[in-house]
Amino acid sequence: MRTKILPLLCLLSSLTFSDGLHAQQNKGSLLFDDGWFFHKGEISAGEKGGVPGTEWRNVQIPHDWSIEGPFNDEWASATAYLPGGIGWYKKSFNAPISWKGKKVFINFDGVYKNSEVWINGHFLGKRPNGFVSFEYDLSSYLNFGGKNLISVKADHSEFADSRWYTGSGIYRDVHLIVKDPVYVRPGGIAFSTPEVAAQSATVQANAEINNSTNKPSAVTIKMILVDPKGKVAAQEEQKMSAKSGVNSVHFKRQFSNPLLWSIDAPNLYQLKLSVIRDGKIIDEVTQAVGIRSIHFDADKGFYLNDKSLKLKGVCIHDDAGALGVAVPEEVWVRRLKALKDAGVNSLRLSHNPHASYLYDLCDQMGFLVMDEFSDEWELGKNKWVKGWNVGIPSKDGYHEYFKEWAHRDIESMIKRDRNHPSIIMWSIGNEIDYPNDPYSHPVLDSGRNPQIYGRGYSAKNPPASEMTVIATDLVKTVKAIDTTRPVTAALAGVVMSNKVGYPEVLDVVGYNYQEYRYAADHKQYPNRVIYGSENGMARQAWDAVDTNQYISGQFLWTGIDYLGEAGRWPQRSNGAGLIDLAGFKKPEYYYRQSLWAAKPMVYLGVKEITKREDNGIWSHRNVQSTWNWPENSKLRVECFTNCKEAELFLNGKSLGKVLRDTSKGQIPSWVVDYQSGELSVKGYNDGKLVATYAIKTFGNAAQIKATPDQTIFSKSKKGLCQVELQIADENGNPVYTAENEISVNISGNAKLLGLESGSTTSHESYQADHRQALNGKLMAYIQTNGKPGNITVSFSAKDLKPASVNLSVK
């Protein structure tokens, strides 16, 4: 987790202190992202900084070298036709004399993949998994009072090793942690709320205190729980003689009138655990925690704080288009705000542990989280190289390391994430039971079997019964660490899994795209908790949740477009999301908002009527929110709304009111003969106007409009400005069809991180300072470097009036 730094005796120019308030504040933790150098390719003596003459370039961590490209069809469609390879990183830093006798650790939140780490030429270890966080003890190898060299190698030579884009390199934050020899063990705090009610709550905190010396140490361990208003809700302290090695301490307190954490009121407490010796705090860890209860019922679904709640969820991957997987936190803030506005209350973090800060944001913004371990176990899945389901797939992937590393990796995930109130489920795997990829069973010769690779039972494939053995072991591993949440998995071949007992190993069972099985399986397995772990956008899929109390919810595939899992070249990204790669909302977003959001809304989508389409059925992604059509076109205008009634206007003239509930699919619609001008809609509840929306006929592209999300930034820390660029006509109307190439110029202490249009087929370089717009829009990511001063960012395009934004670092 990103950390707020408490002062050390010495501040080093090569180390940066993180000053953001995040879920965990760790005494002696230093953000270690600056001052790194990178070399792409294998080198000699890399652990010692390389031989003389090796070329290095300065990079900012987090860093993803794959997104630097270029796109090329010699790479794999699964991983966005972007390269992998080998990369080396190095960083020099001072270790002051004051650190001697202390414990010094380096923590990596994620390195993709096969990372190897050295300090001053001493090998510290290897971590094949590119998604889990890990750390090493540097204490024995440091040159105190002098220079030290950290070297990191990442090996992503197996570029077709995932079914989606993973990126490459040190793509998440790095921290250096300096501790007293007696300290709170990293990941060693487990917070839980065994009893929660509106009137009172019981909280429990278990902690591991490590004494790295060979002598007992008399210390006091103090626990303080502070409520969101700054008032101490509970506190306790225990004296102990900490023996050499790991020591356990347990706290349990009850207090009145807790402020509960929920999706609408995500109240967060601060749990502070201090180690005190001779009256002095020698170590202290503060974590944000929440007071809440969860449970699933086989007949009644999911409950949060004893209130029934449908999970209105989406699945998301790690990347953000132009930024690859080295995504600044501000990008996810913007994305999550948009999803929240759509009525989304749950996220499935597919199909791996995500960046630490994302869980912090979910805690703060009130999202429920399904935290997922892996997409494959001991056997490899198909990773398509020439397009989805095209040609011969690669089998490279995590399965190569599963037997040796699975237990340690899942333990790392749970210990890092277990204190987040947002997390309600641990998922041990995604679509492990995808029929014939790789497991099979004779039942595949009969019945209805969706998502099948090949047809029918394949005797040459491993038997499905092997999954149950592995699942049993993984569930046991999870529950040895945390029993406060149910264990789940996302099943693709339920018919096959039912035959081998795989679902019975799980506490709750996710069904991927198998709504048709809900009723029959609920009847046949009455004690099974069922929910949709991955679902399509069709209304019928939501109806299967909304009309069945026993179905806890659904997770749409997907919330946001993502790199990889692409079709044939030139497609290099997947466009299944509610939001595109640039974070712009798609028509699908507004349709989902009409189903899930409580705040009144209206939206207009337009399409031409053909004999085939003139049936009143909305075809997803097949409408445009634009009012530029050939004269006298006959158009179907559809209104996505959660209002009771909608009224359409063309150039101020009413075309009639339509009731939502009596409209087919609850989508009010009108057949309209096109006339240029303004098309608008008003939404009413009980006769009261509550929402409006309008689109206008646009003229020729004439100007660029630039809208920054913020303009003032703090000094001494990097900031991100997300600038939405809109091509407009001379009257300011958005030009939906504009594809002009926009260039960026920056004056001042900032740099361009990337430009993103949302295109799934563009092969323009993400490193360039120019890019074509899509649907008249472009997103620019501008990063400030923390130095005080004024910054001017200019945007220009041929034959268009330019735009600029002024930023200030104070």
Side-chain angles (χ1 to χ4, degrees):
M1 299 176 184
R2 292 189 177 185
T3 57
K4 183 175 181 180
I5 303 310
L6 303 179
L8 290 180
L9 295 177
C10 179
L11 300 182
L12 305 177
S13 59
S14 61
L15 304 181
T16 302
F17 285 81
S18 171
D19 57 357
L21 180 60
H22 288 277
Q24 177 170 306
Q25 301 170 59
N26 201 334
K27 180 179 174 67
S29 179
L30 303 133
L31 188 63
F32 209 53
D33 287 349
D34 291 332
W36 289 85
F37 290 84
F38 172 72
H39 176 87
K40 175 73 181 294
E42 185 60 284
I43 58 174
S44 299
E47 70 278 8
K48 297 179 181 179
V51 297
T54 303
E55 293 185 1
W56 297 85
R57 61 183 172 96
N58 181 245
V59 294
Q60 175 67 41
I61 302 299
H63 173 247
D64 173 7
W65 83 65
S66 287
I67 201 63
E68 298 172 2
F71 291 103
N72 196 301
D73 61 359
E74 70 177 292
W75 311 119
S77 57
T79 48
Y81 294 109
L82 283 167
I86 292 174
W88 281 88
Y89 296 84
K90 68 176 181 178
K91 174 177 171 129
S92 296
F93 67 100
N94 293 316
I97 293 293
S98 60
W99 288 3
K100 196 167 186 177
K102 295 184 179 294
K103 300 295 290 183
V104 183
F105 302 92
I106 188 167
N107 177 276
F108 296 89
D109 198 34
V111 182
Y112 203 89
K113 67 175 189 175
N114 288 317
S115 65
E116 296 177 88
V117 183
W118 292 261
I119 176 69
N120 296 329
H122 296 275
F123 181 64
L124 296 172
K126 179 175 181 175
R127 199 63 182 251
N129 192 314
F131 301 114
V132 298
S133 60
F134 57 94
E135 63 188 28
Y136 297 113
D137 186 348
L138 309 182
S139 311
S140 300
Y141 311 108
L142 289 174
N143 177 23
F144 297 105
K147 289 285 186 181
N148 295 269
L149 178 70
I150 282 279
S151 303
V152 180
K153 177 183 178 181
D155 188 348
H156 191 191
S157 299
E158 294 180 341
F159 58 88
D161 61 338
S162 169
R163 297 191 301 127
W164 63 93
Y165 178 81
T166 62
S168 304
I170 308 177
Y171 69 102
R172 295 182 187 162
D173 285 331
V174 183
H175 287 89
L176 201 69
I177 303 169
V178 184
K179 293 281 190 180
D180 186 270
V182 181
Y183 59 94
V184 180
R185 197 176 185 188
I189 298 176
F191 176 84
S192 61
T193 54
E195 297 175 8
V196 175
Q199 298 76 26
S200 67
T202 300
V203 297
Q204 185 169 296
N206 300 326
E208 295 177 337
I209 309 299
N210 196 50
N211 181 356
S212 61
T213 72
N214 56 12
K215 295 180 180 180
S217 181
V219 294
T220 298
I221 312 300
K222 186 175 184 179
M223 183 273 288
I224 300 178
L225 188 67
V226 180
D227 73 16
K229 298 178 181 179
K231 180 182 176 182
V232 174
Q235 61 181 320
E236 182 181 349
E237 59 181 54
Q238 297 180 20
K239 297 182 183 298
M240 69 184 306
S241 177
K243 66 185 183 199
S244 181
V246 179
N247 302 260
S248 297
V249 61
H250 309 281
F251 298 98
K252 190 172 185 179
R253 304 295 291 179
Q254 185 181 53
F255 63 97
S256 302
N257 302 316
L259 296 171
L260 302 185
W261 185 95
S262 69
I263 60 172
D264 296 319
N267 294 304
L268 291 173
Y269 285 67
Q270 296 296 317
L271 175 69
K272 182 181 292 186
L273 197 76
S274 305
V275 181
I276 303 167
R277 184 176 58 217
D278 299 329
K280 180 182 177 182
I281 296 175
I282 59 173
D283 192 27
E284 188 170 81
V285 175
T286 303
Q287 293 191 341
V289 296
I291 313 297
R292 58 98 176 108
S293 67
I294 60 170
H295 77 271
F296 288 83
D297 185 278
D299 292 317
K300 298 180 180 180
F302 174 72
Y303 286 77
L304 176 64
N305 300 328
D306 293 324
K307 294 180 181 179
S308 177
L309 180 69
K310 290 290 187 183
L311 302 177
K312 299 174 180 178
V314 297
C315 305
I316 56 174
H317 276 311
D318 300 74
D319 76 90
L323 306 174
V325 290
V327 185
E329 181 176 348
E330 295 91 337
V331 175
W332 275 108
V333 171
R334 176 172 173 261
R335 289 173 154 202
L336 293 182
K337 283 181 178 178
L339 291 174
K340 194 79 172 179
D341 288 345
V344 174
N345 63 24
S346 309
L347 301 175
R348 178 186 175 203
L349 302 188
S350 311
H351 301 294
N352 50 263
H354 284 231
S356 292
Y357 71 73
L358 187 56
Y359 300 86
D360 298 344
L361 292 176
C362 291
D363 292 343
Q364 296 160 14
M365 299 176 72
F367 285 96
L368 301 167
V369 172
M370 174 179 170
D371 204 7
E372 195 151 64
F373 167 52
S374 183
D375 189 51
E376 65 184 23
W377 293 345
E378 67 175 4
L379 299 173
K381 286 183 179 179
N382 293 328
K383 289 89 177 179
W384 300 102
V385 178
K386 295 301 180 183
W388 195 75
N389 278 359
V390 177
I392 300 173
S394 165
K395 292 290 187 179
D396 294 337
Y398 178 65
H399 70 94
E400 301 167 38
Y401 318 102
F402 181 84
K403 287 184 178 180
E404 180 181 356
W405 286 96
H407 288 182
R408 278 176 282 181
D409 289 343
I410 206 166
E411 179 179 337
S412 294
M413 178 184 85
I414 295 172
K415 286 190 173 182
R416 186 195 69 168
D417 298 341
R418 61 184 169 184
N419 294 331
H420 289 283
S422 56
I423 297 176
I424 61 169
M425 290 184 279
W426 302 117
S427 171
I428 58 174
N430 171 62
E431 295 187 344
I432 305 301
D433 63 340
Y434 198 108
N436 293 332
D437 187 16
Y439 299 99
S440 195
H441 189 278
V443 73
L444 297 179
D445 282 333
S446 62
R448 184 176 175 184
N449 304 301
Q451 296 208 109
I452 195 168
Y453 177 64
R455 279 291 136 198
Y457 171 55
S458 175
K460 66 180 181 179
N461 284 43
S465 57
E466 292 182 4
M467 295 187 299
T468 309
V469 176
I470 299 172
T472 300
D473 178 61
L474 293 178
V475 170
K476 181 179 178 181
T477 301
V478 172
K479 294 194 172 186
I481 307 167
D482 182 61
T483 58
T484 67
R485 300 169 178 86
V487 180
T488 187
L491 274 55
V494 177
V495 64
M496 182 172 74
S497 292
N498 281 343
K499 292 295 183 180
V500 298
Y502 178 17
E504 279 61 52
V505 174
L506 307 170
D507 298 313
V508 296
V509 185
Y511 284 41
N512 283 13
Y513 308 103
Q514 292 167 90
E515 293 84 4
Y516 72 95
R517 297 197 63 88
Y518 288 171
D521 279 17
H522 178 59
K523 183 177 181 180
Q524 185 173 356
Y525 308 99
N527 295 322
R528 180 180 297 178
V529 176
I530 301 173
Y531 70 99
S533 44
E534 189 171 313
N535 307 87
M537 301 285 182
R539 175 61 185 267
Q540 296 92 320
W542 173 241
D543 287 343
V545 177
D546 200 31
T547 61
N548 290 308
Q549 188 179 13
Y550 60 87
I551 300 298
S552 299
Q554 71 169 192
F555 290 87
L556 298 175
W557 193 264
T558 60
I560 306 169
D561 291 356
Y562 57 98
L563 294 168
E565 200 169 15
R568 294 176 184 265
W569 178 269
Q571 186 190 20
R572 43 75 167 182
S573 300
N574 191 297
L578 302 176
I579 298 170
D580 70 17
L581 289 171
F584 298 136
K585 301 166 184 175
K586 298 156 71 172
E588 194 81 59
Y589 171 94
Y590 296 98
Y591 176 65
R592 189 55 46 173
Q593 188 178 41
S594 75
L595 297 179
W596 285 358
K599 183 180 179 180
M601 56 78 62
V602 287
Y603 174 85
L604 291 176
V606 184
K607 64 182 180 182
E608 288 188 282
I609 291 177
T610 66
K611 290 182 179 180
R612 185 175 182 180
E613 292 179 321
D614 191 15
N615 55 12
I617 298 176
W618 182 59
S619 177
H620 293 279
R621 308 178 193 78
N622 197 34
V623 294
Q624 300 176 47
S625 191
T626 180
W627 196 237
N628 280 66
W629 301 87
E631 290 294 331
N632 300 316
S633 295
K634 190 172 287 290
L635 305 169
R636 181 170 297 282
V637 177
E638 310 212 348
C639 176
F640 306 152
T641 182
N642 54 12
C643 299
K644 293 181 179 180
E645 192 174 31
E647 184 176 14
L648 187 69
F649 294 84
L650 179 56
N651 295 325
K653 180 181 178 182
S654 175
L655 301 185
K657 292 183 177 180
V658 178
L659 293 172
R660 179 180 186 266
D661 285 347
T662 58
S663 301
K664 191 165 187 177
Q666 294 185 307
I667 303 173
S669 68
W670 300 259
V671 174
V672 179
D673 292 325
Y674 175 72
Q675 296 176 18
S676 62
E678 180 181 86
L679 188 72
S680 63
V681 66
K682 296 180 179 180
Y684 303 90
N685 283 335
D686 300 322
K688 181 181 179 181
L689 177 64
V690 292
T692 61
Y693 184 86
I695 50 179
K696 294 181 180 181
T697 303
F698 55 77
N700 294 328
Q703 60 177 309
I704 300 171
K705 297 173 71 175
T707 306
D709 64 339
Q710 58 179 323
T711 57
I712 299 176
F713 299 86
S714 300
K715 67 177 182 179
S716 302
K717 62 179 291 189
K718 292 178 174 63
L720 185 74
C721 181
Q722 300 173 80
V723 186
E724 184 174 329
L725 303 174
Q726 174 70 66
I727 297 174
D729 66 14
E730 60 182 2
N731 296 317
N733 298 315
V735 180
Y736 182 81
T737 56
E739 296 182 348
N740 303 64
E741 183 178 273
I742 298 177
S743 297
V744 184
N745 183 67
I746 300 175
S747 174
N749 294 317
K751 68 177 181 179
L752 176 67
L753 285 189
L755 294 167
E756 180 56 72
S757 67
S759 172
T760 61
T761 57
S762 170
H763 301 140
E764 299 164 278
S765 172
Y766 276 137
Q767 307 307 300
D769 62 0
H770 55 272
R771 197 170 193 85
Q772 276 190 288
L774 179 68
N775 298 329
K777 288 186 175 183
L778 192 66
M779 174 59 66
Y781 299 107
I782 311 298
Q783 186 180 64
T784 65
N785 63 12
K787 295 180 181 180
N790 296 320
I791 301 164
T792 299
V793 186
S794 303
F795 303 96
S796 61
K798 185 179 180 181
D799 299 327
L800 299 184
K801 181 181 178 181
S804 63
V805 296
N806 295 313
L807 312 179
S808 179
V809 178
K810 297 184 176 181

